[in-house]
Amino acid sequence: MRILSGIQPSGKLHIGNYFGMMRPALELAQKGEAFYFIADYHALTSISNPDELRANVLDVALDFLACGLDPDRTVFYRQSDVPQVTELTWILANVTPLPMLENAHSYKDKIAQGLRPNTGLFTYPVLMAADILIVQGERVPVGRDQKQHVEMTRDIAGAFNRQFGEVFTIPESDIRPDVATLPGIDGRKMSKSYNNTIEIFGDEKAARKKVMSVVTDSQPVEAPKTDLDKNIPLQLYKVVATPDKARELQAKLAAGGFGYGDAKKELLTTLMDYFAPFRKKREELVKNLDYVHETLRKGAERANAVANETMERVRKAVGLR
Ligand code: ADP
Ligand code: TRP
């Protein structure tokens, strides 16, 4: 089984990225041939400062390796090291209906946030389809917000195959329902663009500030808490704590005499403990950047070999050879 996923280097990675995409991706990598990449072409839709983009790419590489990506098992690369994806994007654009792109939720959301759209943002899903199809990805581990993009990829691949013959494998998204949309500190989806994240590699002081400001209702400390299925500190605690510990915290809140402030303190400690080994690994990696660059170089070589194979078939199928 071939597995593929990408993450944009558009800011500091957060625990929504980790539980929604990175952890499932790392688990899946044990079961097949995984291709994970840093989507720097995609990040051009939101970043216009070259130094910032370069720094973010290195950050994501460090973060993913620190979180346990094994570059011997997984092909780990930077998207722009496989420029064939842009050629494939152009070819796929010619079998992509315009209304499909006009209906993309993420495009519509970004416009609603006031972003001035350029054609890069508009054709983003076609580039994403090219990422997946160029390695013939079968499974795509992502959070729920990316589901529609993977569906578009399926449609684009189907349209291509009908027109030019069976070239592409049709991929499927792999979404974990329990962590598909982790809430941020304000209760909306945790997202870099909402400034409501808890970073994976932030220091304790920054994490405390974020955790202590997680929104809750206003039931007093003494009250036996109700509506716990909507409680954000508890939802966040559930992803970092063991099931037993999560039940314990829920019971303490339900019993009364235990306030949201107490719950947040437990959340903070558990969160810091959960990511402590990753932080340690990252500190070691930072001292060995040559290893990180060499890892991406080797990944690019392996990804290029697969991409070239696909592109030979694609060019032949459409008549460019
Ligand atoms: P952001 O919204 O912070 O910019 P990205 O769009 O870069 O995040 O997402 C990278 C990956 O992490 C995607 O697979 C996405 O679905 C997943 N992801 C992002 N935020 C969350 C979240 N709050 N819950 C679950 N998964 C998420
Ligand atoms: N669009 C994805 C995001 O914002 C990142 C991405 C780019 C991706 N290409 C991909 C994810 C291919 C999965 C497969 O999170």
Side-chain angles (χ1 to χ4, degrees):
M1 175 179 57
R2 231 175 227 181
I3 308 142
L4 172 128
S5 195
I7 192 154
Q8 285 196 66
S10 53
K12 301 271 181 237
L13 297 189
H14 54 76
I15 65 172
N17 296 138
Y18 179 74
F19 290 103
M21 181 271 189
M22 296 162 83
R23 192 172 70 168
L26 292 168
E27 280 168 18
L28 259 186
Q30 310 284 333
K31 299 190 189 141
E33 194 187 355
F35 289 75
Y36 297 148
F37 69 95
I38 305 169
D40 54 353
Y41 284 139
H42 284 273
L44 286 176
T45 58
S46 60
I47 299 183
S48 51
N49 177 329
D51 292 332
E52 183 185 344
L53 182 58
R54 268 188 288 269
N56 285 0
V57 168
L58 181 61
D59 267 341
V60 172
L62 286 164
D63 291 353
F64 225 137
L65 290 167
C67 287
L69 184 141
D70 174 358
D72 292 330
R73 279 198 68 95
T74 300
V75 182
F76 183 44
Y77 56 102
R78 177 174 33 199
Q79 184 184 28
S80 60
D81 283 337
V82 187
Q84 299 90 320
V85 295
T86 60
E87 181 188 355
L88 183 56
T89 301
W90 175 248
I91 295 172
L92 296 178
N94 295 287
V95 295
T96 306
L98 194 68
M100 183 199 279
L101 298 180
E102 284 168 340
N103 279 327
H105 304 312
S106 87
Y107 176 73
K108 289 199 274 196
D109 288 351
K110 286 188 176 137
I111 304 295
Q113 283 167 35
L115 222 84
R116 272 182 60 195
N118 55 37
T119 37
L121 187 69
F122 185 66
T123 50
Y124 182 113
V126 191
L127 178 59
M128 182 156 161
D131 295 327
I132 300 172
L133 299 176
I134 207 158
V135 306
Q136 305 280 7
E138 295 167 78
R139 295 274 286 276
V140 185
V142 281
R144 185 165 290 137
D145 58 324
Q146 296 299 316
K147 188 176 183 344
Q148 192 193 30
H149 286 153
V150 180
E151 276 160 13
M152 289 178 176
T153 303
R154 292 166 62 86
D155 290 347
I156 293 171
F160 183 98
N161 285 354
R162 275 191 300 281
Q163 197 159 330
F164 298 110
E166 292 292 317
V167 172
F168 293 123
T169 311
I170 310 290
E172 251 174 64
S173 54
D174 189 312
I175 297 169
R176 304 289 159 96
D178 50 330
V179 283
T181 310
L182 198 71
I185 62 171
D186 59 359
R188 294 187 292 170
K189 170 196 175 285
M190 187 177 288
S191 171
K192 283 168 234 142
S193 29
Y194 296 154
N195 198 17
N196 64 354
T197 66
I198 300 174
E199 290 170 14
I200 304 175
F201 294 101
D203 61 21
E204 172 147 13
K205 201 169 148 222
R208 174 174 303 116
K209 203 167 154 210
K210 294 291 187 77
V211 168
M212 287 306 173
S213 58
V214 172
V215 289
T216 59
D217 56 40
S218 50
Q219 299 178 65
V221 176
E222 323 73 69
K225 310 291 179 296
T226 54
D227 272 344
L228 286 174
D229 50 330
K230 297 195 200 85
N231 188 270
I232 312 291
L234 185 60
Q235 278 182 43
L236 295 174
Y237 188 73
K238 281 183 177 164
V239 297
V240 285
T242 60
D244 279 350
K245 284 278 187 193
R247 272 191 293 275
E248 227 174 81
L249 188 74
Q250 179 151 357
K252 283 199 260 184
L253 285 165
F258 185 85
Y260 293 136
D262 302 315
K264 288 177 185 177
K265 277 186 203 138
E266 288 203 20
L267 168 60
L268 178 66
T269 315
T270 311
L271 184 78
M272 293 314 287
D273 288 351
Y274 188 100
F275 289 106
F278 301 164
R279 267 196 297 279
K280 189 155 172 274
K281 175 101 190 273
R282 198 179 191 285
E283 280 161 23
E284 286 159 21
L285 285 165
V286 167
K287 291 185 210 136
N288 197 356
L289 292 183
D290 286 350
Y291 165 80
V292 178
H293 291 299
E294 180 57 14
T295 297
L296 290 178
R297 196 196 56 74
K298 281 193 196 144
E301 214 170 82
R302 291 162 75 190
N304 265 280
V306 177
N308 286 337
E309 229 170 80
T310 307
M311 285 316 294
E312 273 309 305
R313 293 179 60 195
V314 170
R315 292 182 196 121
K316 211 155 144 199
V318 301
L320 290 171
R321 285 285 183 280

